[in-house]
Coordinates of all heavy atoms in Angstrom, one line a residue:
M1 N 0.8 -1.2 0.0 CA 0.0 0.0 0.0 C 0.9 1.2 0.0 O 1.9 1.3 0.7 CB -0.9 0.0 1.2 CG -1.7 1.3 1.4 SD -2.8 1.3 2.8 CE -4.0 0.2 2.2
I2 N 0.5 2.2 -0.8 CA 1.2 3.5 -0.9 C 0.7 4.4 0.2 O -0.6 4.6 0.3 CB 1.1 4.1 -2.3 CG1 1.7 3.1 -3.3 CG2 1.7 5.4 -2.3 CD1 1.5 3.5 -4.8
L3 N 1.6 5.0 1.0 CA 1.2 6.0 2.0 C 2.0 7.3 1.6 O 3.2 7.3 1.4 CB 1.6 5.6 3.4 CG 0.8 4.4 4.0 CD1 1.5 4.0 5.3 CD2 -0.6 4.8 4.2
I4 N 1.2 8.4 1.5 CA 1.9 9.6 1.1 C 1.3 10.7 2.1 O 0.1 10.8 2.2 CB 1.6 10.0 -0.3 CG1 2.1 8.9 -1.3 CG2 2.2 11.4 -0.7 CD1 1.7 9.2 -2.7
R5 N 2.2 11.5 2.6 CA 1.8 12.6 3.5 C 1.5 13.9 2.6 O 2.5 14.3 1.9 CB 2.8 13.0 4.6 CG 2.3 14.1 5.5 CD 3.3 14.3 6.7 NE 3.5 13.0 7.5 CZ 2.6 12.5 8.4 NH1 1.5 13.1 8.6 NH2 2.9 11.4 9.0
C6 N 0.3 14.4 2.6 CA 0.0 15.5 1.8 C 0.8 16.7 2.3 O 0.8 17.1 3.4 CB -1.5 15.8 1.8 SG -2.0 17.3 1.0
P7 N 1.5 17.4 1.4 CA 2.3 18.6 1.8 C 1.5 19.8 2.1 O 2.0 20.8 2.7 CB 3.2 18.8 0.6 CG 2.4 18.3 -0.6 CD 1.7 17.2 -0.1
Y8 N 0.2 19.8 1.8 CA -0.7 20.9 2.0 C -1.4 20.8 3.4 O -1.3 21.7 4.2 CB -1.7 21.1 0.9 CG -1.1 21.6 -0.4 CD1 -0.7 20.7 -1.4 CD2 -0.9 22.9 -0.6 CE1 -0.2 21.1 -2.6 CE2 -0.3 23.4 -1.8 CZ 0.1 22.4 -2.8 OH 0.6 22.9 -3.9
C9 N -2.1 19.7 3.6 CA -2.8 19.5 4.9 C -2.1 18.8 5.9 O -2.5 18.7 7.1 CB -4.2 18.9 4.6 SG -4.2 17.2 4.1
G10 N -1.0 18.1 5.5 CA -0.1 17.4 6.5 C -0.6 16.0 6.9 O 0.0 15.3 7.7
E11 N -1.7 15.6 6.3 CA -2.3 14.2 6.7 C -1.6 13.1 5.9 O -1.3 13.3 4.7 CB -3.8 14.2 6.4 CG -4.6 15.2 7.3 CD -4.6 14.8 8.7 OE1 -4.6 13.6 9.1 OE2 -4.5 15.7 9.6
L12 N -1.3 12.0 6.6 CA -0.8 10.8 5.9 C -2.0 10.1 5.3 O -2.9 9.7 6.0 CB -0.1 9.9 7.0 CG 0.7 8.7 6.4 CD1 1.8 9.2 5.5 CD2 1.2 7.9 7.5
R13 N -1.9 9.9 4.0 CA -3.1 9.3 3.3 C -2.7 8.0 2.6 O -1.6 7.9 2.1 CB -3.6 10.3 2.3 CG -4.0 11.6 2.9 CD -5.4 12.0 2.5 NE -5.8 13.3 3.1 CZ -6.7 13.4 4.1 NH1 -7.4 12.3 4.4 NH2 -6.9 14.6 4.6
T14 N -3.6 7.1 2.5 CA -3.4 5.9 1.7 C -3.7 6.1 0.3 O -4.4 7.1 -0.1 CB -4.4 4.7 2.2 OG1 -5.7 5.1 1.9 CG2 -4.2 4.5 3.7
E15 N -3.3 5.2 -0.6 CA -3.6 5.5 -2.0 C -5.1 5.5 -2.3 O -5.5 6.1 -3.3 CB -2.9 4.4 -2.8 CG -3.3 3.0 -2.5 CD -2.4 1.9 -3.2 OE1 -2.5 1.7 -4.4 OE2 -1.6 1.4 -2.5
D16 N -5.9 4.9 -1.5 CA -7.4 5.0 -1.7 C -7.9 6.4 -1.4 O -9.0 6.7 -1.9 CB -8.1 4.0 -0.7 CG -7.8 2.5 -1.0 OD1 -7.3 2.3 -2.1 OD2 -7.9 1.7 -0.1
E17 N -7.2 7.2 -0.7 CA -7.6 8.5 -0.4 C -7.0 9.6 -1.3 O -7.2 10.7 -1.2 CB -7.2 8.9 1.1 CG -7.9 8.0 2.1 CD -7.3 8.3 3.5 OE1 -6.1 8.2 3.7 OE2 -8.2 8.6 4.4
L18 N -6.2 9.1 -2.2 CA -5.5 9.9 -3.2 C -5.9 9.6 -4.6 O -6.4 8.5 -4.9 CB -4.0 9.8 -3.0 CG -3.4 10.0 -1.6 CD1 -2.0 9.4 -1.5 CD2 -3.4 11.5 -1.3
T19 N -5.7 10.5 -5.5 CA -5.9 10.3 -6.9 C -4.5 10.4 -7.6 O -3.9 11.4 -7.5 CB -6.9 11.3 -7.5 OG1 -8.1 11.1 -6.8 CG2 -7.1 11.0 -9.0
Y20 N -4.2 9.3 -8.4 CA -3.0 9.3 -9.1 C -3.2 10.2 -10.4 O -4.1 9.9 -11.2 CB -2.6 7.9 -9.5 CG -1.3 7.8 -10.3 CD1 -0.1 8.1 -9.8 CD2 -1.4 7.4 -11.7 CE1 1.1 8.0 -10.6 CE2 -0.3 7.2 -12.4 CZ 1.0 7.5 -11.9 OH 2.1 7.4 -12.7
G21 N -2.3 11.1 -10.6 CA -2.4 12.0 -11.8 C -1.4 11.7 -12.9 O -1.3 12.5 -13.8
G22 N -0.6 10.6 -12.8 CA 0.3 10.3 -13.8 C 1.6 11.0 -13.7 O 1.9 11.7 -12.6
E23 N 2.4 11.0 -14.7 CA 3.7 11.5 -14.8 C 3.7 13.1 -14.6 O 2.8 13.7 -15.2 CB 4.4 11.2 -16.1 CG 5.8 11.7 -16.2 CD 6.4 11.2 -17.5 OE1 5.9 10.4 -18.2 OE2 7.5 11.7 -17.9
A24 N 4.6 13.6 -13.8 CA 4.6 15.0 -13.5 C 5.4 15.7 -14.7 O 6.1 15.1 -15.4 CB 5.3 15.3 -12.2
N25 N 5.2 17.0 -14.7 CA 6.0 17.9 -15.6 C 5.7 17.7 -17.1 O 6.6 17.8 -17.9 CB 7.5 17.8 -15.3 CG 7.7 18.0 -13.8 OD1 7.2 18.8 -13.2 ND2 8.6 17.1 -13.3
I26 N 4.5 17.3 -17.5 CA 4.2 17.2 -18.9 C 3.7 18.5 -19.3 O 2.7 19.0 -18.9 CB 3.1 16.1 -19.1 CG1 3.5 14.8 -18.5 CG2 2.7 16.0 -20.6 CD1 4.6 14.1 -19.2
A27 N 4.5 19.1 -20.2 CA 4.2 20.5 -20.7 C 3.2 20.5 -21.8 O 3.3 19.7 -22.8 CB 5.4 21.2 -21.1
R28 N 2.1 21.3 -21.7 CA 1.1 21.4 -22.8 C 1.7 22.1 -23.9 O 2.3 23.2 -23.7 CB -0.1 22.1 -22.2 CG -1.3 22.2 -23.2 CD -2.4 23.1 -22.7 NE -3.4 23.2 -23.6 CZ -4.6 22.5 -23.6 NH1 -4.8 21.7 -22.6 NH2 -5.5 22.7 -24.5
P29 N 1.6 21.6 -25.1 CA 2.2 22.2 -26.3 C 1.4 23.5 -26.7 O 0.3 23.8 -26.2 CB 2.1 21.2 -27.4 CG 1.0 20.3 -27.0 CD 1.0 20.3 -25.5
A30 N 2.0 24.3 -27.6 CA 1.4 25.5 -28.1 C 0.1 25.1 -28.8 O -0.2 24.0 -29.1 CB 2.3 26.2 -29.0
E31 N -0.7 26.1 -29.0 CA -2.0 25.9 -29.7 C -1.9 25.2 -31.0 O -2.8 24.4 -31.4 CB -2.8 27.2 -29.8 CG -3.4 27.7 -28.5 CD -4.2 28.9 -28.7 OE1 -4.8 29.1 -29.7 OE2 -4.3 29.7 -27.8
T32 N -0.9 25.6 -31.8 CA -0.8 25.0 -33.1 C 0.3 24.1 -33.2 O 1.5 24.4 -33.3 CB -0.6 26.1 -34.2 OG1 0.5 26.9 -33.8 CG2 -1.8 27.1 -34.3
V33 N 0.0 22.8 -33.0 CA 1.0 21.7 -33.1 C 0.5 20.7 -34.1 O -0.7 20.6 -34.4 CB 1.3 21.1 -31.8 CG1 1.9 22.1 -30.8 CG2 0.1 20.5 -31.1
S34 N 1.4 19.8 -34.5 CA 0.9 18.7 -35.4 C 0.1 17.7 -34.6 O 0.1 17.7 -33.4 CB 2.2 18.0 -35.9 OG 2.9 17.3 -34.9
D35 N -0.6 16.9 -35.3 CA -1.4 15.8 -34.7 C -0.5 14.9 -33.9 O -0.9 14.4 -32.8 CB -2.2 15.1 -35.8 CG -3.4 15.9 -36.3 OD1 -3.7 17.0 -35.8 OD2 -3.9 15.5 -37.4
E36 N 0.6 14.6 -34.5 CA 1.6 13.7 -33.8 C 2.0 14.3 -32.5 O 2.1 13.6 -31.5 CB 2.8 13.4 -34.7 CG 3.8 12.5 -34.1 CD 4.9 12.2 -35.0 OE1 4.9 12.6 -36.2 OE2 5.9 11.5 -34.6
A37 N 2.4 15.6 -32.4 CA 2.8 16.2 -31.2 C 1.7 16.3 -30.2 O 1.9 16.1 -29.0 CB 3.3 17.6 -31.5
W38 N 0.5 16.5 -30.6 CA -0.7 16.6 -29.7 C -0.9 15.2 -29.2 O -1.2 15.0 -28.0 CB -1.9 17.1 -30.4 CG -3.1 17.3 -29.5 CD1 -4.2 16.6 -29.5 CD2 -3.2 18.2 -28.5 NE1 -5.1 17.0 -28.5 CE2 -4.5 18.0 -27.9 CE3 -2.4 19.2 -28.0 CZ2 -4.9 18.8 -26.8 CZ3 -2.8 20.0 -26.9 CH2 -4.0 19.8 -26.3
T39 N -0.8 14.1 -30.0 CA -1.0 12.7 -29.6 C 0.0 12.4 -28.5 O -0.3 11.7 -27.5 CB -1.0 11.8 -30.8 OG1 -2.0 12.1 -31.7 CG2 -1.1 10.3 -30.3
D40 N 1.3 12.8 -28.8 CA 2.4 12.5 -27.8 C 2.0 13.2 -26.5 O 2.2 12.6 -25.4 CB 3.7 13.0 -28.3 CG 4.3 12.2 -29.4 OD1 3.8 11.1 -29.6 OD2 5.2 12.6 -30.0
Y41 N 1.5 14.4 -26.5 CA 1.2 15.1 -25.3 C 0.1 14.4 -24.5 O 0.2 14.2 -23.3 CB 0.8 16.5 -25.6 CG 0.0 17.2 -24.5 CD1 0.7 17.6 -23.3 CD2 -1.3 17.5 -24.5 CE1 0.1 18.2 -22.3 CE2 -2.0 18.1 -23.5 CZ -1.3 18.5 -22.4 OH -1.9 19.1 -21.3
L42 N -0.9 13.9 -25.2 CA -2.0 13.3 -24.6 C -1.7 11.9 -24.0 O -2.2 11.5 -23.0 CB -3.2 13.2 -25.5 CG -3.9 14.5 -25.9 CD1 -5.0 14.2 -26.9 CD2 -4.4 15.2 -24.7
F43 N -0.9 11.1 -24.8 CA -0.9 9.7 -24.5 C 0.5 9.1 -24.2 O 0.6 8.1 -23.5 CB -1.4 8.9 -25.6 CG -2.9 9.2 -26.0 CD1 -3.2 9.9 -27.1 CD2 -3.9 8.9 -25.1 CE1 -4.5 10.2 -27.4 CE2 -5.2 9.2 -25.4 CZ -5.5 9.9 -26.5
M44 N 1.6 9.7 -24.6 CA 2.9 9.1 -24.5 C 3.5 9.5 -23.1 O 3.7 10.7 -22.8 CB 3.8 9.5 -25.6 CG 3.2 9.1 -27.0 SD 2.8 7.4 -27.1 CE 4.4 6.6 -27.1
R45 N 3.9 8.5 -22.3 CA 4.5 8.7 -21.0 C 5.7 7.8 -20.9 O 5.8 6.8 -21.6 CB 3.6 8.5 -19.9 CG 2.3 9.3 -19.9 CD 2.7 10.8 -19.7 NE 1.5 11.7 -19.7 CZ 1.1 12.4 -20.7 NH1 1.7 12.4 -21.8 NH2 0.1 13.2 -20.6
T46 N 6.7 8.2 -20.0 CA 7.9 7.4 -19.9 C 7.7 6.1 -19.3 O 8.4 5.1 -19.6 CB 9.0 8.2 -19.2 OG1 8.5 8.5 -17.9 CG2 9.3 9.5 -20.0
N47 N 6.9 6.0 -18.3 CA 6.6 4.7 -17.6 C 7.8 3.9 -17.2 O 8.0 2.8 -17.5 CB 5.7 3.8 -18.4 CG 5.0 2.7 -17.7 OD1 4.9 2.8 -16.4 ND2 4.7 1.6 -18.3
P48 N 8.7 4.6 -16.4 CA 10.0 3.9 -16.1 C 9.8 2.8 -15.0 O 8.9 2.9 -14.2 CB 10.8 5.1 -15.5 CG 9.8 6.0 -14.9 CD 8.6 5.9 -15.8
K49 N 10.7 1.9 -15.0 CA 10.9 1.0 -13.9 C 11.9 1.6 -12.9 O 13.1 1.6 -13.2 CB 11.3 -0.4 -14.4 CG 11.5 -1.4 -13.3 CD 11.9 -2.8 -13.9 CE 12.0 -3.8 -12.9 NZ 12.5 -5.1 -13.5
G50 N 11.4 2.1 -11.8 CA 12.4 2.8 -10.9 C 11.9 4.1 -10.5 O 10.7 4.3 -10.3
I51 N 12.8 5.1 -10.4 CA 12.5 6.4 -9.9 C 11.7 7.2 -10.9 O 12.0 7.2 -12.1 CB 13.8 7.2 -9.5 CG1 14.7 6.3 -8.6 CG2 13.5 8.5 -8.9 CD1 14.0 6.0 -7.3
H52 N 10.6 7.8 -10.4 CA 9.6 8.5 -11.3 C 9.0 9.7 -10.6 O 8.7 9.6 -9.4 CB 8.5 7.4 -11.6 CG 7.6 7.8 -12.6 ND1 6.2 7.7 -12.5 CD2 7.7 8.4 -13.9 CE1 5.6 8.1 -13.6 NE2 6.5 8.5 -14.4
Q53 N 8.9 10.8 -11.3 CA 8.2 11.9 -10.8 C 6.7 11.9 -11.2 O 6.4 11.7 -12.3 CB 8.8 13.2 -11.4 CG 10.1 13.6 -10.8 CD 10.5 15.0 -11.2 OE1 9.8 15.9 -11.0 NE2 11.7 15.1 -11.8
E54 N 5.8 12.0 -10.2 CA 4.4 11.9 -10.4 C 3.6 13.0 -9.8 O 4.2 13.7 -8.9 CB 3.9 10.5 -9.7 CG 4.7 9.3 -10.2 CD 4.4 8.1 -9.4 OE1 4.0 8.2 -8.2 OE2 4.6 7.0 -9.9
Q55 N 2.4 13.1 -10.1 CA 1.5 14.1 -9.5 C 0.3 13.3 -8.9 O -0.2 12.4 -9.5 CB 1.0 15.2 -10.4 CG 0.5 14.7 -11.7 CD 0.3 15.8 -12.7 OE1 0.8 16.9 -12.6 NE2 -0.4 15.5 -13.8
W56 N 0.0 13.7 -7.7 CA -1.1 13.1 -6.9 C -2.0 14.2 -6.4 O -1.6 15.3 -6.1 CB -0.5 12.3 -5.7 CG 0.2 11.0 -6.1 CD1 1.5 10.9 -6.6 CD2 -0.3 9.7 -6.0 NE1 1.8 9.6 -6.8 CE2 0.7 8.9 -6.5 CE3 -1.5 9.2 -5.6 CZ2 0.6 7.5 -6.5 CZ3 -1.6 7.8 -5.6 CH2 -0.6 6.9 -6.1
C57 N -3.3 13.8 -6.1 CA -4.3 14.7 -5.6 C -4.7 14.2 -4.2 O -5.0 13.0 -4.1 CB -5.5 14.9 -6.5 SG -6.7 16.0 -5.8
C58 N -4.8 15.0 -3.2 CA -5.3 14.7 -1.9 C -6.9 14.7 -2.0 O -7.5 15.6 -1.4 CB -4.8 15.7 -0.9 SG -5.2 15.4 0.8
S59 N -7.4 13.7 -2.7 CA -8.8 13.8 -3.1 C -9.8 13.6 -1.9 O -10.9 14.0 -2.0 CB -9.1 12.8 -4.2 OG -8.7 11.5 -3.9
A60 N -9.4 12.8 -0.9 CA -10.2 12.6 0.3 C -10.0 13.7 1.4 O -10.6 13.7 2.4 CB -10.0 11.2 0.9
G61 N -9.1 14.6 1.1 CA -8.8 15.6 2.0 C -8.9 17.0 1.5 O -10.0 17.4 1.1
C62 N -7.8 17.7 1.3 CA -7.9 19.1 1.0 C -8.0 19.4 -0.5 O -8.3 20.5 -0.9 CB -6.6 19.8 1.5 SG -5.1 19.3 0.6
G63 N -7.9 18.3 -1.4 CA -8.2 18.5 -2.8 C -7.0 19.1 -3.6 O -7.2 19.4 -4.8
Q64 N -5.9 19.3 -2.9 CA -4.7 20.0 -3.6 C -3.9 18.9 -4.4 O -3.8 17.8 -4.0 CB -3.8 20.6 -2.6 CG -4.4 21.8 -1.9 CD -4.5 23.0 -2.9 OE1 -3.6 23.3 -3.6 NE2 -5.7 23.7 -2.8
W65 N -3.4 19.3 -5.5 CA -2.5 18.5 -6.3 C -1.0 18.8 -5.8 O -0.7 19.9 -5.5 CB -2.6 18.8 -7.8 CG -3.8 18.2 -8.4 CD1 -5.0 18.8 -8.5 CD2 -3.9 16.9 -9.0 NE1 -5.9 18.0 -9.1 CE2 -5.3 16.8 -9.4 CE3 -3.0 15.8 -9.1 CZ2 -5.7 15.6 -10.0 CZ3 -3.5 14.7 -9.7 CH2 -4.8 14.6 -10.2
F66 N -0.2 17.7 -5.7 CA 1.2 17.9 -5.3 C 2.0 16.9 -6.1 O 1.5 16.0 -6.8 CB 1.3 17.7 -3.8 CG 0.8 16.4 -3.3 CD1 1.6 15.2 -3.2 CD2 -0.5 16.3 -2.9 CE1 1.1 14.0 -2.7 CE2 -1.1 15.1 -2.4 CZ -0.2 14.0 -2.3
K67 N 3.3 17.0 -6.0 CA 4.3 16.2 -6.7 C 5.0 15.2 -5.8 O 5.2 15.5 -4.6 CB 5.3 17.0 -7.5 CG 4.6 17.8 -8.6 CD 5.7 18.6 -9.4 CE 5.0 19.5 -10.4 NZ 6.0 20.2 -11.2
V68 N 5.4 14.1 -6.4 CA 6.0 13.0 -5.6 C 7.1 12.4 -6.4 O 7.0 12.3 -7.7 CB 5.0 11.9 -5.3 CG1 5.6 10.7 -4.7 CG2 3.8 12.4 -4.4
V69 N 8.2 12.0 -5.8 CA 9.2 11.2 -6.4 C 9.1 9.8 -5.8 O 9.2 9.7 -4.6 CB 10.7 11.7 -6.2 CG1 11.7 10.7 -6.8 CG2 10.8 13.0 -6.9
R70 N 8.7 8.8 -6.6 CA 8.4 7.5 -6.1 C 9.2 6.4 -6.9 O 9.4 6.6 -8.1 CB 6.9 7.2 -6.2 CG 6.5 5.8 -5.8 CD 5.0 5.7 -5.8 NE 4.5 5.7 -7.2 CZ 4.2 4.6 -7.9 NH1 4.4 3.4 -7.4 NH2 3.7 4.7 -9.1
D71 N 9.7 5.4 -6.2 CA 10.3 4.3 -6.9 C 9.1 3.3 -7.3 O 8.4 2.8 -6.4 CB 11.3 3.6 -5.9 CG 12.0 2.4 -6.6 OD1 11.5 1.8 -7.5 OD2 13.2 2.2 -6.2
T72 N 8.9 3.1 -8.6 CA 7.8 2.3 -9.0 C 8.0 0.8 -8.8 O 7.0 0.1 -8.9 CB 7.6 2.6 -10.5 OG1 8.7 2.2 -11.2 CG2 7.2 4.0 -10.8
V73 N 9.2 0.4 -8.4 CA 9.4 -1.0 -8.1 C 9.0 -1.3 -6.6 O 8.3 -2.2 -6.3 CB 10.8 -1.4 -8.3 CG1 11.1 -2.8 -7.9 CG2 11.2 -1.2 -9.8
S74 N 9.6 -0.5 -5.7 CA 9.3 -0.7 -4.3 C 8.2 0.2 -3.7 O 7.8 -0.1 -2.6 CB 10.6 -0.3 -3.5 OG 10.9 1.1 -3.6
H75 N 7.7 1.1 -4.4 CA 6.7 2.1 -4.0 C 7.2 3.0 -2.9 O 6.4 3.7 -2.3 CB 5.4 1.4 -3.6 CG 4.7 0.7 -4.7 ND1 4.3 1.3 -5.9 CD2 4.4 -0.6 -4.8 CE1 3.8 0.4 -6.6 NE2 3.8 -0.8 -6.1
R76 N 8.5 3.0 -2.7 CA 9.1 3.9 -1.7 C 9.0 5.4 -2.2 O 9.3 5.7 -3.3 CB 10.6 3.6 -1.5 CG 11.2 4.3 -0.3 CD 12.6 3.7 0.0 NE 13.5 3.8 -1.0 CZ 14.5 4.7 -1.1 NH1 14.7 5.5 0.0 NH2 15.3 4.8 -2.1
I77 N 8.5 6.2 -1.3 CA 8.3 7.6 -1.6 C 9.6 8.3 -1.2 O 10.1 8.3 0.0 CB 7.2 8.2 -0.8 CG1 5.9 7.4 -1.1 CG2 7.0 9.7 -1.1 CD1 5.4 7.5 -2.5
L78 N 10.3 9.0 -2.2 CA 11.6 9.7 -1.9 C 11.4 11.1 -1.6 O 12.2 11.7 -0.9 CB 12.5 9.5 -3.1 CG 12.7 8.1 -3.5 CD1 13.3 8.0 -4.9 CD2 13.7 7.4 -2.5
D79 N 10.3 11.7 -2.1 CA 10.1 13.2 -1.8 C 8.6 13.5 -2.1 O 8.1 12.9 -3.0 CB 11.0 14.1 -2.5 CG 11.2 15.4 -1.9 OD1 10.6 15.7 -0.8 OD2 11.8 16.3 -2.5
V80 N 8.1 14.5 -1.4 CA 6.8 15.0 -1.7 C 6.9 16.5 -1.5 O 7.5 17.0 -0.6 CB 5.7 14.4 -0.7 CG1 4.4 15.0 -0.9 CG2 5.7 12.9 -0.7
W81 N 6.3 17.3 -2.5 CA 6.3 18.7 -2.3 C 5.2 19.4 -3.1 O 4.5 18.8 -3.9 CB 7.7 19.2 -2.9 CG 7.9 19.1 -4.4 CD1 7.8 20.1 -5.3 CD2 8.3 17.9 -5.1 NE1 8.1 19.7 -6.5 CE2 8.4 18.3 -6.5 CE3 8.5 16.6 -4.8 CZ2 8.7 17.4 -7.5 CZ3 8.8 15.7 -5.8 CH2 8.9 16.1 -7.1
K82 N 5.0 20.6 -2.7 CA 3.9 21.4 -3.3 C 4.3 21.8 -4.7 O 5.5 21.9 -5.0 CB 3.6 22.7 -2.5 CG 3.2 22.4 -1.1 CD 3.0 23.7 -0.3 CE 2.6 23.4 1.1 NZ 2.6 24.6 2.0
F83 N 3.3 22.1 -5.6 CA 3.6 22.5 -6.9 C 4.5 23.7 -7.0 O 5.3 23.8 -7.9 CB 2.3 22.7 -7.7 CG 1.8 21.5 -8.6 CD1 1.4 20.4 -8.0 CD2 2.0 21.6 -9.9 CE1 1.0 19.3 -8.7 CE2 1.6 20.5 -10.7 CZ 1.1 19.4 -10.1
E84 N 4.3 24.6 -6.1 CA 5.0 25.9 -6.2 C 6.4 25.8 -5.6 O 7.1 26.7 -5.6 CB 4.2 27.0 -5.5 CG 4.0 26.8 -4.0 CD 2.7 26.1 -3.7 OE1 2.2 25.3 -4.6 OE2 2.2 26.2 -2.6
E85 N 6.7 24.6 -5.1 CA 8.1 24.4 -4.5 C 9.0 23.7 -5.4 O 8.6 23.1 -6.4 CB 7.9 23.6 -3.2 CG 7.1 24.3 -2.1 CD 6.9 23.4 -0.9 OE1 7.0 22.2 -1.0 OE2 6.7 24.0 0.2
V86 N 10.3 23.6 -5.0 CA 11.3 22.8 -5.8 C 11.8 21.7 -4.9 O 12.0 21.9 -3.8 CB 12.4 23.8 -6.2 CG1 13.5 23.0 -6.9 CG2 11.9 24.9 -7.1
S87 N 11.9 20.5 -5.6 CA 12.4 19.4 -4.8 C 13.9 19.1 -5.2 O 14.2 19.0 -6.4 CB 11.6 18.2 -5.2 OG 12.2 17.0 -4.8
Q88 N 14.7 18.9 -4.2 CA 16.1 18.5 -4.5 C 16.1 17.1 -5.1 O 16.9 16.8 -6.1 CB 16.9 18.5 -3.2 CG 18.4 18.2 -3.4 CD 19.1 19.3 -4.3 OE1 18.8 20.5 -4.1 NE2 20.0 18.9 -5.1
A89 N 15.3 16.2 -4.6 CA 15.3 14.8 -5.1 C 14.8 14.8 -6.5 O 15.3 14.0 -7.4 CB 14.4 13.9 -4.2
A90 N 13.8 15.6 -6.9 CA 13.3 15.6 -8.3 C 14.4 16.1 -9.2 O 14.5 15.7 -10.3 CB 12.1 16.5 -8.3
E91 N 15.2 17.1 -8.8 CA 16.2 17.6 -9.7 C 17.3 16.5 -9.9 O 17.9 16.5 -11.0 CB 16.8 18.9 -9.1 CG 15.8 20.0 -9.1 CD 16.4 21.3 -8.6 OE1 17.6 21.4 -8.4 OE2 15.7 22.3 -8.5
E92 N 17.5 15.7 -8.9 CA 18.5 14.6 -9.1 C 18.0 13.6 -10.0 O 18.8 12.9 -10.7 CB 18.8 14.0 -7.7 CG 19.6 15.0 -6.8 CD 19.7 14.5 -5.4 OE1 19.3 13.3 -5.1 OE2 20.2 15.2 -4.6
V93 N 16.7 13.4 -10.1 CA 16.1 12.4 -11.0 C 16.1 12.9 -12.4 O 16.3 12.1 -13.3 CB 14.6 12.1 -10.5 CG1 13.9 11.2 -11.6 CG2 14.6 11.4 -9.2
A94 N 15.8 14.2 -12.6 CA 15.6 14.7 -14.0 C 16.9 14.7 -14.8 O 17.9 14.4 -14.4 CB 15.2 16.2 -13.9
Ligands
ZN101 ZN1 -4.2 17.3 1.7

């Protein structure tokens, strides 16, 4: 079971109380892009085995979205931070 402490309300939540938002830092392309670029934006993700930056929502609590660095093999949480903050662990992963 994945346990993540929400950086906004401070509550430790189970994955049932959170919403997984997929890979973090996916930049929306400009208004005029090719169909291929738009398809990549919508559907293509890295899906790594190992360290991954993700976004989660505290859906059973404060409703805020936040970012997580998680090992997808062990589910170990390496860092959690607010969208407006910078993570040292995330910079090491990138
Ligand atoms: Zn929260």
Side-chain angles (χ1 to χ4, degrees):
M1 173 178 291
I2 297 173
L3 292 171
I4 303 175
R5 184 172 304 281
C6 174
Y8 290 95
C9 66
E11 294 294 322
L12 187 62
R13 303 230 179 249
T14 66
E15 60 191 284
D16 295 339
E17 299 174 302
L18 302 165
T19 300
Y20 177 69
E23 184 175 348
N25 308 318
I26 303 296
R28 185 184 177 103
E31 284 186 30
T32 55
V33 295
S34 67
D35 288 347
E36 183 178 350
W38 186 249
T39 300
D40 285 349
Y41 165 69
L42 291 177
F43 301 109
M44 301 306 290
R45 300 297 182 258
T46 58
N47 195 25
K49 181 179 180 182
I51 307 300
H52 190 226
Q53 288 189 53
E54 305 169 336
Q55 50 193 11
W56 288 78
C57 179
C58 184
S59 52
C62 66
Q64 293 288 320
W65 285 91
F66 54 92
K67 294 183 182 180
V68 171
V69 174
R70 180 175 66 95
D71 185 328
T72 60
V73 176
S74 66
H75 297 301
R76 188 168 63 102
I77 304 299
L78 301 166
D79 200 6
V80 178
W81 70 101
K82 298 176 181 176
F83 261 73
E84 64 271 21
E85 296 176 339
V86 175
S87 164
Q88 184 67 37
E91 291 185 5
E92 292 171 5
V93 172

